Amino acid sequence: MTITRPAPDLRPARPARPAGSDAARLLELLDSRPPAHSLPGPCYTDPALHEADLSLVWQRQWLFVGTVAEVPEAGDFLTVDIGTASVVVLRDDDEQVRALRNVCRHRGSRLVTGSHGCVGNIVCGYHHWTYGTDGRLLHAPQLPPTTDTGALGLRPVHLREVAGLLFVCLADDPPADIEHVARVVAPYVAPHQLGRTKVAAQVDLVEDGNWKLTMENNRECYHCDGHPELRCTFFPTWGLSDDQVPERMRADHDRYLAALADLERRSDELGLPHGLVEDLVDRPLGFRVQREPLDGAGESFSPDGTRLVRRLLGDLPEARLGRLGLHTQPNAWFHFQADHVVTFAALPLAVDRTLVRTTWLVHEDAVEGVDYEVDELTATWRATNEQDAAFVAGTQSGVADPGYLPGPYSEAEEQVEAFVAWYDARVREAVAR
């Protein structure tokens, strides 16, 4: 496996300081970070800097919010809150998926509540302004007859579907690189046919930590001894290049390399893309994608690696296809197996709280109790998420301690450094505008 190593210092040229602002303070803290070290404490703990994150990163970048399987029928919706902004993603009466600001155009009342649901029309509970699923204003009692109701539809939000994955961007002018990312990623994801899946389970877990700690934790397996369930199917040397593997793990790594060679051969025979593509720092929608083997039977996230769902996804002919791993910045990671898909979306709730929404997708015709059992399907990642939540909470407590100083990353944490460098670059780009 080839891993692209970040340069020693990936930070771009420093823009002029916006004097006296939270952005200026954030830039000073980023300037103080030695390359390949964790961020200064206030970047994880200061509420004002968290607001700066929302403004400079979250309101400008493409964010993963869900899949087409979560809005399968006309009127089905999901909601996502980013700071004080709320977005409703729904399938309209013409079967088009769109995203709208979840704000009534009358006096600003929230329109849709709950994380998921179904509507005929969108009706404001305050004064009963009524909107179609395409956002058009259909009815507003007692408006003056000269009112241009055509100008009072719900404000649209940019949405892009990538092979069934749904991304939104709150910016008026979103980064254009999502088209490049879609061209690269879609052929990897498409064979799993997300449009022919359904939601088997979804779990919302609140981690007591800053969103960056949640993402940093996900970007390394240096701590994976703390994930006994996951280690049943994750090879012990995952994330290490050949020259980084200690001698005591050489046999495990040789077993991984043999499984990888076998998977690559079979993927080529089936026409499945599998090679590593990563662009984690310079691109606004940083990403990494690769098909990799699983340990054990090599089929799924079960204790012995055998499949968890009898009905395979799409037209995939066999279960032993490892996992397609995809990661997008700032907020998502995914595992696509032949029998099911797991998606993860991280969403900031506060400076020290992050929602991790995990969704398990199975074939639309798979029958619970016959083709799969929900408890078995979700067991590995329920346990792993709880373990990660404890790690993140412990780190949040530590970075808030006055004794904390940024520490150096290990060789196994190259992707953590890439994430932090990506964050640094996006902040500087936003401030320079």
Side-chain angles (χ1 to χ4, degrees):
M1 179 175 64
T2 301
I3 295 180
T4 303
R5 292 187 176 86
D9 190 345
L10 299 169
R11 294 174 293 186
R14 299 173 183 176
R17 296 287 187 270
S21 69
D22 292 325
R25 182 161 169 258
L26 179 54
L27 289 176
E28 290 173 356
L29 289 167
L30 293 177
D31 288 346
S32 74
R33 182 184 80 96
H37 281 64
S38 56
L39 289 164
C43 293
Y44 302 112
T45 63
D46 189 311
L49 298 186
H50 177 68
E51 292 300 316
D53 277 0
L54 295 177
S55 174
L56 298 173
V57 177
W58 287 85
Q59 294 180 21
R60 299 171 187 255
Q61 302 302 325
W62 286 101
L63 312 172
F64 170 71
V65 294
T67 68
V68 293
E70 295 177 63
V71 287
E73 305 290 341
D76 288 344
F77 71 84
L78 64 89
T79 61
V80 177
D81 294 336
I82 307 296
T84 58
S86 182
V87 176
V88 57
V89 177
L90 77 166
R91 191 177 293 273
D92 67 20
D93 293 338
D94 295 325
E95 299 295 325
Q96 178 181 349
V97 180
R98 61 176 70 235
L100 304 165
R101 295 275 185 173
N102 192 15
V103 181
C104 183
R105 292 299 305 279
H106 178 212
R107 286 168 54 190
S109 181
R110 277 283 178 263
L111 292 169
V112 174
T113 58
S115 63
H116 294 77
C118 185
V119 295
N121 290 316
I122 301 172
V123 181
C124 179
Y126 195 6
H127 298 101
H128 305 293
W129 283 35
T130 302
Y131 305 86
T133 52
D134 60 0
R136 290 182 301 116
L137 179 62
L138 302 178
H139 175 67
Q142 300 177 345
L143 276 183
T146 57
T147 302
D148 180 7
T149 56
L152 291 174
L154 299 180
R155 295 179 61 193
V157 174
H158 294 283
L159 180 142
R160 181 67 161 86
E161 178 190 336
V162 180
L165 305 175
L166 300 176
F167 294 82
V168 302
C169 183
L170 298 173
D172 293 334
D173 185 18
D177 73 318
I178 194 169
E179 299 306 324
H180 170 81
V181 176
R183 286 192 298 271
V184 173
V185 168
Y188 285 79
V189 177
H192 298 266
Q193 297 188 24
L194 268 60
R196 293 172 56 195
T197 64
K198 65 180 180 181
V199 176
Q202 187 171 83
V203 175
D204 283 352
L205 174 68
V206 176
E207 294 188 350
D208 292 325
N210 184 266
W211 69 273
K212 296 186 290 297
L213 293 180
T214 293
M215 295 304 294
E216 290 170 22
N217 175 75
N218 174 258
R219 287 298 79 214
E220 48 90 357
C221 215
Y222 194 39
H223 68 283
C224 280
D225 282 346
H227 294 316
E229 294 83 3
L230 186 61
R231 283 178 61 86
C232 292
T233 48
F234 258 49
F235 281 91
T237 58
W238 183 87
L240 297 177
S241 60
D242 289 345
D243 62 317
Q244 294 173 346
V245 176
E247 192 58 38
R248 63 182 175 81
M249 302 177 72
R250 180 56 58 182
D252 288 327
H253 193 60
D254 289 344
R255 188 162 48 84
Y256 164 77
L257 293 175
L260 178 62
D262 184 62
L263 177 62
E264 290 175 341
R265 176 191 57 78
R266 187 60 179 139
S267 295
D268 286 336
E269 292 172 350
L270 296 173
L272 299 175
H274 56 78
L276 170 64
V277 182
E278 84 176 11
D279 194 346
L280 291 171
V281 178
D282 297 328
R283 186 171 295 283
L285 183 56
F287 75 101
R288 183 185 195 276
V289 64
Q290 184 183 22
R291 186 174 295 277
E292 298 181 274
L294 290 170
D295 208 347
E299 298 176 351
S300 200
F301 288 117
S302 62
D304 61 358
T306 56
R307 73 170 75 177
L308 290 163
V309 185
R310 293 177 59 186
R311 182 68 183 264
L312 299 183
L313 299 176
D315 299 315
L316 294 173
E318 61 193 64
R320 193 171 184 266
L321 296 174
R323 67 176 184 95
L324 171 63
L326 171 63
H327 167 72
T328 61
Q329 292 172 173
N331 81 312
W333 59 98
F334 312 83
H335 299 292
F336 303 81
Q337 293 68 238
D339 66 334
H340 75 285
V341 173
V342 195
T343 73
F344 305 80
L347 300 165
L349 300 177
V351 66
D352 57 357
R353 290 193 306 136
T354 302
L355 172 67
V356 177
R357 175 168 290 168
T358 307
T359 307
W360 289 261
L361 306 178
V362 299
H363 192 283
E364 61 186 354
D365 294 330
V367 178
E368 182 181 352
V370 177
D371 295 306
Y372 67 96
E373 299 291 343
V374 170
D375 287 347
E376 293 178 359
L377 177 68
T378 61
T380 291
W381 283 107
R382 280 180 182 267
T384 301
N385 286 351
E386 292 285 353
Q387 293 152 5
D388 278 334
F391 292 139
V392 169
T395 307
Q396 183 70 32
S397 296
V399 297
D401 192 299
Y404 165 73
L405 291 173
Y409 295 136
S410 71
E411 290 183 327
E413 295 171 296
E414 291 175 343
Q415 291 185 44
V416 182
E417 167 63 8
F419 168 74
V420 172
W422 175 92
Y423 165 73
D424 183 298
R426 300 294 82 75
V427 168
R428 293 179 192 278
E429 286 175 357
V431 171
R433 289 175 182 170

